[in-house]
Amino acid sequence: MRKLLFRNLFRPPLTERPPDRDEEAVAELAACVDRAARRRLGRSLAIREVDAGSCNGCELEIHALNNAFYDLERYGIRFVASPRHADVLLVTGPVTKNMREGLERTYNATPDPKWVVAVGDCAVDGGLFAESYAVVGGVSAVVPVDLHIRGCPPEPRRLLAGLLALLESAG
Ligand code: SF4
């Protein structure tokens, strides 16, 4: 018992090291998204997140955009509570049968011009859950999709790069 106690006292932690900080690159990317949004919309970008049936892995990465490290609000990019205030619908997960109507109603409630971004491999074609009896398919099986951001889950920097590509391709 004592041996075990001593071993645990001196053993280094088993957790993985966090990835190296690349704050400059994130800041530059976020500022580019904000500039593109202001050019395109005349104001900053409002995003409504819709979980259409994901495992929540994608949500963890999307939430990270608002944490103290990424802190997107400082660049004017906001997550909003209602689709009526949104420019972009960020949709995750395979679309489950239970969420199909919710996604359609959210899409219809979002004013034009609007963009739909399907986030994660499941949102592309159902991913891991494609064969499930409870799943309709990818997001494009229910609403038109403007951009797919692949990954399982995609990391925050990739989400930002996707949003920037969307705004730039929109003119
Ligand atoms: S893409 Fe991966 S992390 Fe995202 S909902 Fe599917 S399984 Fe989960």
Side-chain angles (χ1 to χ4, degrees):
M1 181 66 191
R2 205 174 333 152
K3 230 163 122 188
L4 182 68
L5 185 66
F6 277 116
R7 203 172 60 214
N8 284 340
L9 273 178
F10 296 109
R11 196 166 59 182
L14 292 175
T15 47
E16 287 177 30
R17 282 172 51 78
D20 291 336
R21 283 171 160 248
D22 192 356
E23 203 166 342
E24 254 176 48
V26 172
E28 195 175 324
L29 204 46
C32 285
V33 174
D34 188 42
R35 272 198 303 277
R38 286 179 195 278
R39 205 172 50 237
R40 173 75 181 138
L41 302 166
R43 55 178 168 72
S44 55
L45 193 69
I47 301 171
R48 167 71 183 160
E49 204 269 336
V50 183
D51 176 353
S54 94
C55 73
N56 280 160
C58 286
E59 271 65 31
L60 289 176
E61 299 301 307
I62 291 171
H63 289 172
L65 290 171
N66 278 324
N67 69 18
F69 178 69
Y70 289 100
D71 190 17
L72 274 203
E73 287 222 5
R74 66 190 149 144
Y75 303 104
I77 302 166
R78 295 170 302 128
F79 281 83
V80 291
S82 165
R84 296 189 197 285
H85 303 151
D87 308 302
V88 174
L89 294 180
L90 215 52
V91 188
T92 61
V95 183
T96 59
K97 289 184 179 164
N98 284 347
M99 275 302 291
R100 178 187 198 133
E101 187 187 341
L103 179 57
E104 281 169 347
R105 289 173 65 175
T106 302
Y107 180 80
N108 292 334
T110 309
D112 290 322
K114 60 189 163 196
W115 297 281
V116 177
V117 179
V119 173
D121 290 345
C122 293
V124 175
D125 55 9
L128 288 173
F129 308 101
E131 304 298 322
S132 167
Y133 68 91
V135 161
V136 179
V139 177
S140 59
V142 180
V143 295
V145 172
D146 299 288
L147 177 73
H148 290 105
I149 302 177
R150 283 190 174 272
C152 182
E155 60 160 16
R157 250 178 291 177
R158 193 188 276 202
L159 295 170
L160 272 179
L163 289 173
L164 181 60
L166 177 79
L167 287 166
E168 286 189 337
S169 70

